[in-house]
Amino acid sequence: MAEWWQRLVAIIIDSVILGIVTGIISAVIIASGHYQGNGNGLFSTRLDARHVIAGLITFVIDLGYFAFLNGGEKGQTIGMMALGITVRDTNTGGPIDPQRAGLRIFILYPGILLRWIPVLGAIAGVYTIVAGLSPLWDKKREGWHDKVAKTTVIKVR
């Protein structure tokens, strides 16, 4: 079984990679166009169509990253490759499909969809912290997302 710290460092690496990509895309979308109001559009409290579009695009990118990499033959994101861990089916030990991998990340990180919505994004963030810590008190080291998707994270090196 993978250690909790390995899972944490892997998701941090993946988050940095995705944060750079989606941050640039979001900044371009939100800062584009004519902005009416205080601020420069990027650091504003005003929620408009550009924020919704940026939120949906980053959701698709993030979900696709985890679904296709964790749901592929290797079952590894870039962060997991760096730490030598992989996602596997609990019953068979084999790879999972992209649908289960997508469900798994959405259960762990509902903010992947909700982060751009002011109050819901904050609530989802708190939930993600608790869900991310859940392997610490589980005797099988499975998180809530692992239990729902029927997966386990193991060491491969």
Side-chain angles (χ1 to χ4, degrees), residues 22-33 42 50:
T22 59
I24 292 168
I25 292 169
S26 294
V28 168
I29 292 169
I30 293 169
S32 68
L42 186 57
R50 291 174 292 175

Side-chain angles (χ1 to χ4, degrees), residues 2-12 83 85 136 155:
E3 300 292 333
W4 180 81
W5 69 267
Q6 291 175 301
R7 296 170 67 141
L8 175 65
V9 173
I11 197 88
I12 289 171
L83 275 289
I85 59 177
L136 288 173
K155 297 177 187 179

Side-chain angles (χ1 to χ4, degrees), residues 57-139:
I57 289 172
T58 59
F59 166 68
V60 169
I61 291 168
D62 290 352
L63 184 65
Y65 176 85
F66 288 103
F68 289 108
L69 291 179
N70 281 340
E73 188 63 34
K74 288 185 174 185
Q76 297 175 296
T77 61
I78 294 169
M80 294 176 100
M81 288 178 208
L83 275 289
I85 59 177
T86 185
V87 176
R88 289 290 178 230
D89 181 278
T90 300
N91 297 323
T92 68
I96 62 172
D97 59 38
Q99 293 80 11
R100 277 177 57 199
L103 171 67
R104 183 178 179 275
I105 195 62
F106 191 72
I107 297 298
L108 171 63
Y109 181 36
I112 201 170
L113 175 61
L114 305 173
R115 66 180 163 226
W116 57 275
I117 304 171
V119 175
L120 291 178
I123 293 169
V126 171
Y127 165 83
T128 296
I129 291 169
V130 176
L133 293 171
S134 65
L136 288 173
W137 57 79
D138 185 82
K139 60 184 168 219

